[in-house]
Amino acid sequence: MFPSQREGEVKEAFTGERLDTITHWLSVFISAPMLTGKCDVKYDPLKSESEVKASNKRICALKIIYSSAIFVVVFFIIFISKLDDSNTDNDRPKMANVIIQHINHTSTSPPALKACGVQVNNSSVIKVGTLHTYVTGSYMDHRSEDKQIKTIAIVLRNEDPTYKCVMCCNGRNVTTLAQYTIHGDHFGFDYGTATITCQIRNLCKSPTHVALTASEISDRITSFLPIRNIDFPKVFPYTFTICISVMYNYKNVLNLVESMEMFRLLGAQRVVIYKTDCDSDTQKILDYYVKKGFVEIIPWTIKKHISVSNGWRKDLSAGQLHYYGQIPALNDCVHRYMYQSHYVALHDLDELILPLKVKTWTELLPQLEEIYGTSVGFEFENNAFPFIAKAHLDYEQDTWKDVQGTNILNYIERVPNNPNSFNNYKIIVNPRLVYQATVHGLLDPSSATVRVDNSIARMYHSKNFSYPTNTNLIRDDHLWVYANDLIPAVSKVLHDCGLVGKA
């Protein structure tokens, strides 16, 4: 309900019930003994007759004065009520406005936002009508001369709809034909990631909301999405943003805190996590970082709509969408922060891109751009550090032993890479160069990436996985460069969240 509706209802109730209330209290006052003019005499046997008479006279006088005052007040209220009935709604008494303002101010359910008379929906996954299409967000794209609206979606690949864009422009709907492209990295699953493009026509230069439909009839839409990135700021609020997709059934509390604090030490100002589910201790950590303004949580609810796979191969993992929907989540994150962050890093919580000659990304990226140029993204070679390898306890922390997870500082031996097999690299890139992101790099041929020399930087991937027993692991303790800063930072977070005692 909007404020204007609520005001009208309150005013009507106020004026409609007021006379009934006045009449009720007037009848009560008139029937009261003090207003009848009767001064019944009651004798106190302990007082003399003269004292009683004098006392009764004073009581009678007070009752008469009090009665007269009540009549004056009641008359005044009736007069104001009659005067109010002759006024317009804009001339309601101040008392009614005070009540209305109080109700509006104290309401715990603010009116729902609307655009062009239609509900605005801010959910992270929204179904499009009767289609097998689920949109995650709509974003203004400023990279061409004619601006476009790009909507990231999850679509059923064998369905071939004709999408229409309904844009809210200055209080009216403008409809135009949409184009869409299904990304090639669907890995054979029924659903894939798509980019749906709405062209901004002369009739609508500044849209604020958009809806997708397969119908030309705009009034059939049930909700609008807000268009993000309407402005192209001259200065971005973040230099480095990390896109994490997807957090599912997550319980590794210690690893989460170590990763977050390493991200900070490396120079990231923002971490975006597309979260499906996690345990209660993990949620405490997430809440801590959200409150600090370091983490943004995007509720990733796609599994409520379609069956997601827990693997990347359809022949090995049941489901309709590749690996919990991480590819549409990555694409959504890149577009969400396209005009908020100078760079985005696309990798997982158990992965760290570490410079080898400097300590931070802030120092690393200018060097990379000088070597490789500014029109490319940067690939970082993956190096696996298995938790089943020998533990090196130089930085073991007794106070962390009861925290769920594994101390990554204990595992400094990596599996040698096979130069003849694919390397699961991850990237840091200027998001304005990205049109289609995937798990390992970029898809669109217009977006180039280069492999960073592994003597300059590489990715450290610490997790519980197996390797051949005859493998000669390589000692690599570069992570220990950060240990003296990392350990107290992690201990503080665990203590602040009530997971360990004070160190």
Side-chain angles (χ1 to χ4, degrees):
M1 186 184 298
F2 283 92
S4 59
Q5 292 175 305
R6 299 179 68 214
E7 288 180 13
E9 292 178 4
V10 172
K11 289 174 181 177
E12 181 179 357
F14 188 83
T15 55
E17 295 177 1
R18 182 164 44 195
L19 285 177
D20 293 338
T21 303
I22 293 170
T23 304
H24 167 72
W25 284 109
L26 184 58
S27 64
V28 171
F29 290 142
I30 291 175
S31 63
M34 70 177 64
L35 301 183
T36 60
K38 297 178 181 179
C39 299
D40 296 334
V41 178
K42 294 183 180 180
Y43 289 93
D44 186 341
L46 298 180
K47 293 183 179 180
S48 67
E49 184 177 349
S50 60
E51 288 176 327
V52 170
K53 288 181 178 180
S55 175
N56 285 336
K57 287 180 179 180
R58 286 194 297 270
I59 293 172
C60 287
L62 289 173
K63 286 184 177 182
I64 292 170
I65 294 172
Y66 185 61
S67 301
S68 301
I70 292 296
F71 273 118
V72 170
V73 170
V74 171
F75 177 79
F76 178 75
I77 292 174
I78 294 173
F79 175 79
I80 292 296
S81 175
K82 292 295 185 181
L83 181 64
D84 174 66
D85 290 340
S86 65
N87 292 333
T88 64
D89 286 345
N90 293 330
D91 298 324
R92 296 294 185 188
K94 292 182 179 180
M95 182 61 71
N97 289 332
V98 169
I99 294 173
I100 293 164
Q101 290 169 10
H102 176 73
I103 292 172
N104 288 337
H105 177 71
T106 59
S107 173
T108 57
S109 300
L113 294 177
K114 288 191 176 182
C116 293
V118 178
Q119 185 89 22
V120 174
N121 193 336
N122 283 295
S123 302
S124 56
V125 178
I126 301 171
K127 191 176 189 299
V128 177
T130 58
L131 298 174
H132 295 90
T133 298
Y134 304 88
V135 299
T136 66
S138 295
Y139 305 93
M140 189 73 75
D141 193 326
H142 299 269
R143 291 176 290 184
S144 61
E145 184 176 347
D146 296 325
K147 294 186 295 185
Q148 301 172 328
I149 301 169
K150 297 287 183 68
T151 297
I152 306 302
I154 300 165
V155 301
L156 185 63
R157 294 192 297 113
N158 65 8
E159 191 172 60
D160 188 23
T162 299
Y163 294 110
K164 301 286 184 179
C165 299
V166 182
M167 295 173 281
C168 178
C169 300
N170 299 319
R172 64 189 183 93
N173 290 344
V174 175
T175 303
T176 184
L177 188 66
Q179 299 174 330
Y180 74 99
T181 302
I182 299 177
H183 299 196
D185 55 349
H186 47 71
F187 297 94
F189 287 90
D190 299 336
Y191 283 82
T193 306
T195 301
I196 303 174
T197 303
C198 304
Q199 301 291 342
I200 298 177
R201 304 298 186 187
N202 291 333
L203 292 175
C204 180
K205 287 294 187 182
S206 302
T208 58
H209 298 78
V210 67
L212 294 175
T213 177
S215 169
E216 290 186 275
I217 303 175
S218 61
D219 61 5
R220 288 187 183 178
I221 63 174
T222 58
S223 63
F224 269 122
L225 278 74
I227 300 172
R228 303 179 188 273
N229 300 342
I230 289 179
D231 297 323
F232 190 156
K234 293 181 180 179
V235 179
F236 301 134
Y238 309 107
T239 303
F240 294 100
T241 295
I242 299 175
C243 295
I244 303 294
S245 68
V246 175
M247 177 180 277
Y248 53 90
N249 192 28
Y250 196 89
K251 301 176 182 178
N252 299 321
V253 175
L254 181 57
N255 303 98
L256 174 62
V257 179
E258 286 184 314
S259 294
M260 290 295 159
E261 293 307 312
M262 277 301 301
F263 295 157
R264 278 213 234 233
L265 292 173
L266 290 167
Q269 296 97 18
R270 191 74 157 173
V271 180
V272 186
I273 299 176
Y274 287 70
K275 190 193 83 169
T276 299
D277 49 28
C278 64
D279 69 0
S280 58
D281 284 346
T282 298
Q283 190 61 51
K284 287 180 184 178
I285 301 298
L286 294 177
D287 292 342
Y288 173 89
Y289 284 110
V290 169
K291 187 176 180 179
K292 294 288 185 182
F294 187 60
V295 167
E296 179 184 9
I297 299 296
I298 309 297
W300 194 237
T301 59
I302 187 60
K303 72 175 185 179
K304 293 181 179 179
H305 304 281
I306 59 179
S307 172
V308 297
S309 170
N310 62 1
W312 67 275
R313 286 179 54 179
K314 184 173 175 59
D315 58 335
L316 298 178
S317 304
Q320 299 172 296
L321 179 66
H322 164 270
Y323 203 65
Y324 299 96
Q326 70 172 159
I327 295 174
L330 285 173
N331 280 273
D332 184 83
C333 187
V334 169
H335 282 79
R336 185 177 294 256
Y337 279 83
M338 186 168 289
Y339 303 106
Q340 293 190 62
S341 188
H342 194 74
Y343 302 99
V344 293
L346 307 181
H347 60 77
D348 296 333
L349 281 170
D350 55 7
E351 298 170 333
L352 296 170
I353 295 171
L354 299 186
L356 298 179
K357 297 181 179 179
V358 293
K359 288 192 71 172
T360 68
W361 292 350
T362 308
E363 301 165 288
L364 174 66
L365 266 293
Q367 293 180 0
L368 297 183
E369 290 182 340
E370 186 176 345
I371 297 170
Y372 301 106
T374 59
S375 60
V376 295
F378 303 108
E379 305 172 4
F380 298 91
E381 175 190 275
N382 179 58
N383 291 268
F385 291 75
F387 288 157
I388 65 171
K390 176 186 175 182
H392 295 261
L393 305 179
D394 301 52
Y395 291 99
E396 176 71 353
Q397 302 298 305
D398 290 338
T399 57
W400 299 357
K401 287 184 177 179
D402 293 330
V403 179
Q404 189 163 239
T406 305
N407 183 358
I408 61 175
L409 291 170
N410 291 347
Y411 297 92
I412 57 171
E413 294 184 358
R414 59 181 168 88
V415 178
N417 285 327
N418 183 350
N420 298 319
S421 63
F422 177 76
N423 183 268
N424 295 329
Y425 66 89
K426 295 299 174 66
I427 65 170
I428 297 177
V429 66
N430 172 350
R432 291 158 299 285
L433 299 176
V434 180
Y435 290 90
Q436 293 182 17
T438 187
V439 181
H440 306 292
L442 306 176
L443 281 182
D444 194 285
S446 63
S447 305
T449 57
V450 295
R451 179 65 59 92
V452 173
D453 190 292
N454 62 12
S455 67
I456 298 174
R458 63 170 70 108
M459 187 171 72
Y460 287 58
H461 188 184
S462 303
K463 65 181 297 184
N464 190 22
F465 61 92
S466 60
Y467 58 91
T469 55
N470 60 347
T471 302
N472 292 319
L473 299 181
I474 301 170
R475 180 185 171 100
D476 183 346
D477 60 7
H478 183 65
L479 184 59
W480 285 359
V481 170
Y482 301 90
N484 290 335
D485 295 317
L486 178 63
I487 290 170
V490 171
S491 294
K492 182 180 186 306
V493 175
L494 294 174
H495 173 262
D496 290 349
C497 293
L499 299 178
V500 299
K502 190 171 184 179

